[in-house]
């Protein structure tokens, strides 16, 4: 069993797939609406639709090489900037939701990102290489917007692909 299957099975076994009573997270193809809109906005390179997914008081609990803490803006602004760089770095970026689960006002999803490295990304000039990497993210949703995020992306794998 590979790592991704093991994680997905563990999440499935421990998470409740019921919608909250408020109906704030409608499902599309069995996946939370906000998760599907997240992937769609990025795949369509629609940074405005992507930004509209986040509450103005959004809190990002993920701090990594990809999203270090910074005094250069709000958490929402920094997240939008990070993903704008991803879109700019991969002109044909496609984002797929592999698995998504909900519990109460939260949802967890595993995303796969794939695209050709055609622009400056993570400080690396374009290589023309095909990139493929994943992230696992947890979102807390309020009034249809992402208000909190916890996540982990395969930054080491991404950097290895970028640097060949």
């Amino acid at each position: 069993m590979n790592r991704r299957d093991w994680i997905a099975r563990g999440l499935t076994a421990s998470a409740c797939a019921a919608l909250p009573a408020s109906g704030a997270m409608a499902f599309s193809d069995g996946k939370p609406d906000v998760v599907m809109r997240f992937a769609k906005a990025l795949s369509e390179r629609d940074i405005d639709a992507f930004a509209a997914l986040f509450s103005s008081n959004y809190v990002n609990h993920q701090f990594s090489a990809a999203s270090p803490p910074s005094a250069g803006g709000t958490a929402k602004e920094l997240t939008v900037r990070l993903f704008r760089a991803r879109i700019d770095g991969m002109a044909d970026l496609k984002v797929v939701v592999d698995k998504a689960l909900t519990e109460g006002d939260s949802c967890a999803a595993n995303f796969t990102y794939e695209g050709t490295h055609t622009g400056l990304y993570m400080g690396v000039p374009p290589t023309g290489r095909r990139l493929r990497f994943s992230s696992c993210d947890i979102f807390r949703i309020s009034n249809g917007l992402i208000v909190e995020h916890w996540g982990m992306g395969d930054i080491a794998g991404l950097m290895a692909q970028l640097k060949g």
Side-chain angles (χ1 to χ4, degrees):
M1 178 180 316
N2 70 36
R3 182 177 142 261
R4 182 176 287 162
D5 287 342
W6 185 82
I7 291 169
R9 288 181 188 184
L11 286 172
T12 301
S14 65
C16 172
L19 282 172
S22 69
M25 289 187 278
F27 278 75
S28 169
D29 297 330
K31 296 173 182 154
D33 180 61
V34 73
V35 168
M36 298 305 292
R37 289 185 291 135
F38 183 100
K40 182 177 189 250
L42 292 172
S43 293
E44 293 179 353
R45 305 176 57 79
D46 188 344
I47 201 68
D48 293 331
F50 179 78
L53 295 172
F54 297 85
S55 167
S56 61
N57 62 345
Y58 163 72
V59 176
N60 185 9
H61 298 283
Q62 177 182 356
F63 297 109
S64 70
S67 59
S70 171
T74 67
K76 178 177 178 174
E77 291 166 343
L78 294 170
T79 296
V80 171
R81 192 178 309 154
L82 172 78
F83 281 90
R84 183 186 316 268
R86 185 167 289 173
I87 288 171
D88 292 344
M90 291 178 276
D92 59 348
L93 177 67
K94 293 296 174 207
V95 181
V96 174
V97 180
D98 300 311
K99 185 79 169 174
L101 306 163
T102 66
E103 181 176 344
D105 64 354
S106 298
C107 58
N110 188 82
F111 296 96
T112 297
Y113 299 82
E114 190 168 4
T116 308
H117 182 211
T118 55
L120 182 67
Y121 185 50
M122 304 284 289
V124 179
T127 63
R129 290 188 187 103
R130 194 85 181 137
L131 305 175
R132 187 172 194 274
F133 56 98
S134 64
S135 72
C136 290
D137 299 275
I138 301 170
F139 304 114
R140 187 172 69 80
I141 311 300
S142 179
N143 297 318
L145 298 175
I146 300 169
V147 293
E148 286 185 273
H149 167 258
W150 298 261
M152 183 181 309
D154 183 13
I155 302 307
L158 171 60
M159 294 306 293
Q161 292 173 69
L162 284 169
K163 295 184 177 185

